[in-house]
């Protein structure tokens, strides 16, 4: 050994220079004896490593008792020489310890791995005199590490399927590029279970673990700075857990984000061999999971088509899940000769492309359904596929039954809607002549008070009946999604005015006091005015019906930010607490008494809710039994910068003394004759027929200006009659008005396509008929 020191003695030791040198000589002698006896290789190098003066190989590498300048080529693996020389140069520059792992040529000619360490011996001036080094054979450890990496690749798919921990962190460095902290950017659901930490997003690790070890920060910092991924097994002492960690940088060189995949391996960390630990972990998972698991090797024919697979390995749950016994080492076609080809195609694609698959698929050969996940094991070229599966046959049977029931239910719902639509349509047919007859009676002088009273009763009850039929039809339209709003910019005050006019007769009949309040400025909405009027009318009539005679009702409108707030409050009977959550359900009524004095079908409030929601709003109710109710409707207001509404067009007024020739076609004799009589009372010339053929004959002989044509005629329908009329050039100016119980947009589209000019829903409003007739002379002129 040299008389010079290979390390500086700290000044606080309190020794003289001579004493320090003597102590160091003794230390060097002991160190030489130690490294000679405790390592595989001992060597000496001159100051610049140009010459090796001695090498004791200990049967790991060849001895070199004589100085040599060719030591690099003789002992160091070629691909590692550049890296080794760079490390030596850095150690010489820093006069520090040289340490690295590199490959060497072993005594038997094979390539081995050595962990080499050399320390400089310094003279009194601090210059390097020589280097003393030792090397340890780490070939076996390196091989084990390689085996461990392969094992990790093999089992990574399985670990992914059982939800290993995952997080993304962003490193924080000081001015010297030393990692001092990191922030949690993203975590997966297994993170909390594996680490015991919750609510970590956006927090720094030092906030969660103040005494986190610096080595974790250094390791992650190197990954962020170098971009080199790291796999490590280490302990986080503050939380007493061991983790197997794989981390890699996300993004380019400037990124400081690290992705970390990890598993809590505390129970396995004491094992002596990392490969054995991985196998233990794998086997534990392999045997413990309830899912069936197997590793298969795909078999292809000469055309590279998957035709079979060999079962290499199965877990204990395999037999229970799929029912195949003693499957290991057998081909699937030995066990299931009629196994379907689509299984081979699916697994073959996984093996060839490396793309994992997750499907629910039926094995008809086994009469079972499986939820299956498959992924390739190994790199490109591997034909091994890992399969995890669950027998979901029972679940599929339940789903199938539920689907069938949802369909005994969907069909019933459809038939219910069809029935409601048909019922409302059929009810409209007798309403039409009754309405016409009422108009006829109103045109006659009524001197007898009993007749006037009876006429009033008929008018009110007929109006109620028309309202009920209308509600039936409306709920059918809404529940089937056939309602189309006709949106326009409107002031809410106009809707309130018309709604109050409509509800006024009922309010007066029950002697209610109605108080109305509204802001001085208009509240503008983008809405369907008729539909909103329907909402307000239903709320007012509902309040009137369930408030004792002489009660009070309040109707108010206000604007709150971007919402219009409409309130209807009453002093009525209120709503029971158990009924409140269901008050907007179809066919729900507050009054369930046998006398049914208030009438109604329990449809009105359901219509209110559906129509309000179609306008992008919502409706709520508060009530105390016996203390009245309050309904609150919230609707979005429209912006003020919309273009103003166009002024309404002036109505075309029929010149005095003019009349029209009207052909009425309806198979309902009462409806046709009553409509004809009403028209005649207003000075129009009328002819009435009751089927399509008679209508086609009548238009040839009767020079009609307009035809009121029922759609549901026997034989030729009204649609077909209209098409034939439009084929006659002489009748091109004839105005056709459709009378039908159906008023959907699709129904109106069909009548337009057939050639109708107007579409009226039964029972037709006679005033609407008169308006059409008033316009006829001006149009035909």
């Amino acid at each position: 050994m040299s008389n010079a020191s290979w390390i500086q003695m700290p000044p606080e030791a309190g020794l003289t220079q001579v004493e320090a040198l003597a102590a160091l000589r003794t230390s060097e002698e002991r160190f030489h004896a130690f490294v000679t006896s405790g390592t595989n290789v001992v060597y000496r190098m001159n100051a610049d490593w140009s010459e090796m003066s001695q090498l004791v190989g200990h049967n790991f590498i060849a001895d070199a008792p004589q100085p040599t300048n060719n030591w690099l080529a003789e002992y160091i693996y070629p691909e590692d020489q550049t890296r080794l020389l760079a490390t030596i140069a850095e150690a010489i520059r820093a006069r520090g310890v040289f340490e690295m792992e590199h490959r060497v040529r072993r005594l038997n000619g094979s390539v081995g791995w050595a962990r080499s360490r050399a320390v400089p011996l310094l003279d009194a001036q601090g210059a390097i005199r020589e280097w003393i080094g030792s090397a340890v054979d780490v070939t076996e450890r390196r091989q084990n590490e390689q085996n461990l990496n392969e094992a990790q690749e093999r089992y990574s798919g399985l670990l992914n399927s059982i939800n290993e921990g995952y997080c993304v962190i962003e490193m924080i460095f000081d001015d010297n590029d030393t990692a001092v902290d990191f922030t949690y950017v993203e975590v997966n659901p297994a993170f909390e279970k594996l680490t015991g930490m919750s609510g970590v997003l956006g927090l720094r690790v030092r906030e969660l673990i103040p005494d986190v070890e610096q080595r974790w920060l250094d390791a992650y910092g190197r990954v962020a700075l170098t971009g080199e991924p790291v796999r490590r097994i280490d302990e986080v002492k503050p939380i007493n857990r061991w983790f197997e960690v794989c981390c890699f940088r996300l993004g380019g060189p400037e990124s400081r984000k690290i992705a970390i995949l990890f598993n809590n391996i505390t129970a396995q960390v004491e094992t002596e061999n990392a490969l054995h630990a991985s196998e233990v972990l794998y086997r534990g998972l392999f045997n413990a999971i309830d899912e069936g698991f197997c590793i298969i090797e795909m078999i292809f024919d000469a055309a590279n088509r998957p035709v079979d697979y060999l079962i290499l390995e199965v877990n204990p749950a395999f037999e229970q899940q799929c029912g195949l016994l003693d499957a290991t080492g057998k081909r699937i076609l030995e066990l299931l000769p009629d196994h379907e080809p689509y299984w081979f195609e699916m697994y073959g694609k996984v093996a060839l492309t490396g793309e994992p698959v997750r499907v629910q698929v039926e094995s008809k050969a086994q009469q079972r359904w499986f939820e299956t996940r498959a992924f390739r094991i190994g790199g490109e070229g591997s034909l091994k596929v890992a399969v995890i599966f669950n027998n979901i046959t029972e679940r599929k049977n339940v789903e199938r039954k539920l689907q069938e029931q949802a369909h005994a239910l969907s069909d019933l719902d459809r038939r219910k809607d069809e029935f409601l639509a048909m019922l409302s349509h059929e009810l409209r047919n007798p309403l039409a002549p009754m309405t016409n007859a009422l108009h006829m009676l109103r045109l006659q002088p009524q001197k007898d008070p009993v007749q006037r009273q009876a006429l009033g009763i008929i008018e009110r009850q007929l109006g109620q009946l028309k309202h009920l039929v209308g509600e039936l039809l409306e709920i059918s339209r809404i529940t089937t999604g056939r309602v189309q709003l006709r949106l326009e910019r409107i002031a809410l005050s106009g809707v309130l005015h018309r709604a109050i006019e409509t509800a006024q007769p009922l309010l007066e009949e029950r002697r209610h006091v109605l108080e109305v309040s509204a802001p001085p400025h208009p509240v503008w909405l983008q809405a369907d005015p008729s539909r909103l009027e329907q909402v307000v009318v239903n709320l007012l009539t509902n309040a009137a019906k369930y408030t004792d005679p002489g009660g009070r009702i309040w109707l108010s409108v206000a604007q709150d930010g971007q919402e219009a707030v409409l309130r209807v409050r009453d002093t009525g009977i209120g709503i029971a607490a158990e009924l409140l959550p269901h008050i907007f359900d179809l066919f729900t009524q507050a009054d369930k008494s046998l006398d049914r004095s208030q009438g109604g079908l329990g449809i009105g409030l359901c219509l209110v809710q559906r129509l309000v929601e179609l306008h992008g709003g919502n409706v709520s109710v508060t009530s105390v039994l016996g203390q009245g109710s309050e309904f609150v409707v919230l609707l979005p207001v429209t912006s003020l910068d919309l273009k103003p509404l166009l002024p309404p067009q002036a109505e075309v007024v029929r010149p005095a003394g003019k009349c029209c020739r009207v052909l009425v076609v309806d198979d309902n004799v009462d409806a046709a004759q009553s409509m004809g009589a009403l028209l005649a009372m207003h000075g129009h010339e009328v002819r009435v027929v009751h089927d399509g053929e008679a209508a086609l004959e009548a238009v040839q002989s009767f020079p009609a200006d307009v035809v009121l044509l029922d759609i549901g005629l026997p034989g030729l329908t009204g649609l077909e009659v209209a098409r034939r009329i439009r084929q006659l050039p002489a009748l091109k100016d004839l105005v056709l008005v459709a009378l039908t119980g159906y008023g959907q947009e699709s129904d109106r589209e069909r009548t337009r396509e057939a050639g109708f000019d107007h579409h009226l829903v039964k029972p037709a409003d006679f005033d609407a008929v008169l308006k059409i007739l008033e316009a006829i002379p001006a149009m035909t002129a």
Side-chain angles (χ1 to χ4, degrees), residues 148 233 265 268-269 271 273-282:
L148 176 61
I233 296 176
I265 59 166
Q268 291 80 30
V269 74
T271 55
N273 187 287
L275 178 61
H276 180 61
S278 179
E279 183 66 22
V280 168
L281 176 62
Y282 164 69

Side-chain angles (χ1 to χ4, degrees), residues 187-208:
V187 299
N188 76 333
F191 180 91
E192 178 178 344
K193 177 181 177 182
L194 296 178
T195 65
M197 298 188 299
S198 60
V200 304
L201 285 180
L203 298 180
R204 295 187 177 189
V205 71
R206 290 198 182 276
E207 298 179 74
L208 301 162

Side-chain angles (χ1 to χ4, degrees), residues 308-311 327 329-339:
D308 204 347
Y309 57 79
L310 179 66
I311 301 174
K330 296 180 180 176
R331 295 187 177 190
I332 190 63
L333 289 181
E334 296 180 61
L335 301 168
L336 288 173
D338 51 351
H339 198 47

Side-chain angles (χ1 to χ4, degrees), residues 285-448:
L285 294 169
F286 183 81
N287 293 324
I289 60 176
D290 294 330
E291 294 94 338
F293 178 74
C294 64
I295 296 176
I296 63 175
E297 185 169 16
M298 294 306 301
I299 299 173
F300 294 83
D301 63 12
N304 206 32
R305 292 189 298 260
V307 293
D308 204 347
Y309 57 79
L310 179 66
I311 301 174
L312 301 178
E313 193 174 3
V314 301
N315 74 336
F318 177 91
E319 178 181 323
Q320 177 185 358
Q321 292 286 351
C322 71
L324 298 178
L325 306 180
D326 193 24
T328 303
K330 296 180 180 176
R331 295 187 177 190
I332 190 63
L333 289 181
E334 296 180 61
L335 301 168
L336 288 173
D338 51 351
H339 198 47
E340 297 84 2
Y342 51 75
W343 292 95
F344 307 139
E345 295 169 2
M346 177 174 65
Y347 294 149
K349 183 178 180 181
V350 172
L352 293 176
T353 67
E355 296 178 2
V357 67
R358 180 170 187 162
V359 294
Q360 292 183 2
V361 65
E362 182 183 16
S363 172
K364 295 180 181 178
Q366 297 174 276
Q367 297 183 344
R368 301 189 185 197
W369 276 87
F370 295 101
E371 183 174 54
T372 302
R373 289 166 285 172
F375 50 89
R376 185 174 67 191
I377 293 178
E380 187 175 355
S382 172
L383 299 181
K384 292 181 180 179
V385 176
V387 182
I388 303 173
F389 61 93
N390 263 319
N391 184 342
I392 59 170
T393 306
E394 184 176 353
R395 189 177 86 195
K396 278 292 185 180
N397 289 336
V398 172
E399 290 177 356
R400 177 180 53 79
K401 291 178 181 178
L402 289 176
Q403 288 175 352
E404 291 174 354
Q405 292 174 358
H407 177 73
L409 293 178
S410 176
D411 187 56
L412 283 175
D413 191 57
R414 177 185 58 79
R415 292 163 69 181
K416 178 262 295 180
D417 291 334
E418 291 175 352
F419 170 75
L420 289 177
M422 179 186 69
L423 177 63
S424 60
H425 177 264
E426 291 302 317
L427 288 175
R428 285 179 184 274
N429 283 331
L431 284 176
M434 292 169 63
T435 303
N436 293 339
L438 181 63
H439 279 288
M440 293 169 62
L441 290 174
R442 281 294 186 194
L443 293 174
Q444 303 299 320
Q446 302 293 331
K447 297 181 179 179
D448 189 338

Side-chain angles (χ1 to χ4, degrees), residues 461-482:
Q461 296 305 312
L462 185 60
Q464 176 68 4
L465 185 57
K466 290 169 65 177
H467 177 72
L468 295 178
V469 173
E471 283 193 340
L472 276 174
L473 187 58
E474 283 293 280
I475 202 63
S476 173
R477 291 169 178 166
I478 290 178
T479 55
T480 55
R482 295 196 299 265

Side-chain angles (χ1 to χ4, degrees), residues 666-679:
D666 198 328
D667 62 324
N668 186 318
V669 176
D670 287 341
Q673 291 181 349
S674 59
M675 176 61 76
L678 270 177
L679 291 170

Side-chain angles (χ1 to χ4, degrees), residues 722-773:
R723 292 189 187 98
R724 295 195 183 184
I725 289 175
R726 289 304 183 211
Q727 292 173 358
L728 301 174
L731 301 178
K732 62 183 179 64
D733 294 327
L734 184 60
V735 176
L736 300 183
V737 181
L739 297 177
T740 174
Y742 299 100
Q744 295 299 318
E745 184 59 35
S746 58
D747 302 315
R748 296 177 184 275
E749 180 63 27
R750 280 193 291 271
T751 56
R752 282 195 294 269
E753 291 176 352
F756 282 93
D757 301 290
H758 302 277
H759 184 112
L760 297 180
V761 178
K762 291 182 177 181
D765 184 356
F766 189 69
D767 289 337
V769 174
L770 291 179
K771 286 184 179 181
I772 293 174
L773 296 180

Side-chain angles (χ1 to χ4, degrees), residues 37-56:
S37 62
T39 60
N40 296 95
V41 178
V42 179
Y43 57 89
R44 297 177 68 186
M45 292 287 184
N46 65 349
D48 63 359
W49 290 67
S50 62
E51 180 181 88
M52 177 188 288
S53 60
Q54 180 184 8
L55 184 145
V56 180

